[in-house]
Amino acid sequence: MKFHILTLFPEMIEQGLNNSIIKRAAEAGHLTINAVNIRDFTLDKHNKVDDYPYGGGAGMLMQAQPVYDACRSLTEGKEKKPRVIFMTPQGRTFHQEMAKEFAGEEELIFLCGHYEGIDERVLEEIVTDEVSIGDYVLTGGELPAMVMIDTIARLIPGVLNNQDSAEEESFSGNLLEYPQYTRPEVWMDKRVPEVLLSGHHANIAKWRREQSEERTRVKRPDMYEKYLEEKKRK
Ligand code: 6GU
């Protein structure tokens, strides 16, 4: 999968996504991260990419032309036009099912706004999807884009070393993870639950499922309702 990010702060993306699992996945050829600096496309002699809003009001707006040309540089000549996702608190709230859908694409373009926003005309022209990551206001779209890319990337086959991880999750959709333990067997007088030392795989699976259900019921009653609904339908 190719992830392109249109941004005024490419180094934020490059630093944020060049670590751990995503870095290894990029090195293994499962994905590429391409941060495109919108400023590189300005035609202004002082490299300006923003201006005052018509009608007045607070702050500056990103201008249409550099955003449009940066996007065009990624799409022109391509048979299949990739989706362009604008990161905005006005968008649909991101969730795991949406991540699964995006993970089926070959290429995605993320548009990150800054300042008070972007000229509406270029948004109308290029954006296919508007996505928010929750009901709070951030200073820019870079962190949300990184949240989305991280979530989508781990669903791409081969990205997680252990193939089960992503699958197991979809199997136990709407359930929280069960508690996990590693060595030593006793720490601060707390023992690892006996069943996990038993080597009895069926009992371990049963215990984990029960823990997941109980945790979800207590910590996320909203999610637990969905889980019960889904269980009924199966
Ligand atoms: Cl996607 N962008 C910005 N700027 N703020 C946000 C957001 C996105 N999602 C929640 N707050």
Side-chain angles (χ1 to χ4, degrees), residues 6-231:
L6 302 173
T7 171
L8 289 174
F9 301 93
E11 60 297 339
M12 203 174 157
I13 304 290
E14 281 152 7
Q15 295 222 7
L17 293 174
N18 195 26
N19 307 284
S20 182
I21 293 172
I22 305 299
K23 180 180 187 175
R24 197 187 57 207
E27 285 166 356
H30 297 300
L31 56 88
T32 59
I33 305 288
N34 175 35
V36 175
N37 192 343
I38 293 167
R39 197 177 298 279
D40 290 346
F41 293 84
T42 180
L43 299 177
D44 178 85
K45 60 176 181 287
H46 301 111
N47 278 354
K48 199 167 67 75
V49 290
D50 62 337
D51 211 327
Y52 297 97
Y54 281 115
M60 304 287 272
L61 291 178
M62 286 167 67
Q63 293 171 287
Q65 175 271 318
V67 172
Y68 186 73
D69 289 353
C71 188
R72 272 293 299 272
S73 78
L74 295 173
T75 58
E76 67 190 351
K78 276 183 186 151
E79 178 81 13
K80 185 170 187 293
K81 299 289 181 212
R83 287 162 81 170
V84 177
I85 307 165
F86 178 41
M87 306 311 307
T88 167
Q90 297 183 16
R92 284 199 300 147
T93 306
F94 188 53
H95 54 74
Q96 195 66 30
E97 284 303 312
M98 210 191 278
K100 282 186 205 164
E101 190 205 318
F102 284 126
E105 302 284 332
E106 283 158 36
E107 204 167 356
L108 289 171
I109 299 174
F110 294 84
L111 172 59
C112 305
H114 245 273
Y115 312 120
E116 297 306 309
I118 304 182
D119 189 305
E120 190 69 21
R121 294 168 295 182
V122 68
L123 299 177
E124 288 171 4
E125 211 56 45
I126 66 174
V127 171
T128 60
D129 299 83
E130 294 191 348
V131 181
S132 164
I133 61 163
D135 288 339
Y136 37 82
V137 181
L138 299 165
T139 57
E142 285 77 12
L143 286 168
M146 287 192 269
V147 166
M148 283 190 68
I149 291 166
D150 190 281
T151 309
I152 295 164
R154 62 186 289 292
L155 300 176
I156 298 168
V159 168
L160 298 185
N161 36 19
N162 145 19
Q163 276 170 328
D164 309 336
S165 307
E167 253 167 64
E168 187 170 317
E169 231 167 34
S170 60
F171 166 71
S172 54
N174 289 321
L175 274 189
L176 300 178
E177 290 270 294
Y178 47 78
Q180 302 218 72
Y181 305 87
T182 186
R183 290 197 289 183
E185 259 181 59
V186 183
W187 180 78
M188 295 250 220
D189 288 339
K190 292 162 174 274
R191 288 201 65 81
V192 172
E194 209 56 47
V195 64
L196 299 179
L197 309 176
S198 69
H200 193 304
H201 296 299
N203 283 354
I204 292 170
K206 178 166 176 284
W207 182 85
R208 285 177 167 168
R209 165 58 60 141
E210 288 163 357
Q211 290 289 316
S212 282
E213 288 180 349
E214 186 55 13
R215 278 199 164 188
T216 310
R217 189 182 68 79
V218 172
K219 296 193 194 191
R220 291 290 306 273
D222 56 323
M223 206 186 261
Y224 190 65
E225 283 305 311
K226 283 192 203 156
Y227 167 71
L228 290 180
E229 283 297 312
E230 195 140 305
K231 208 167 154 185

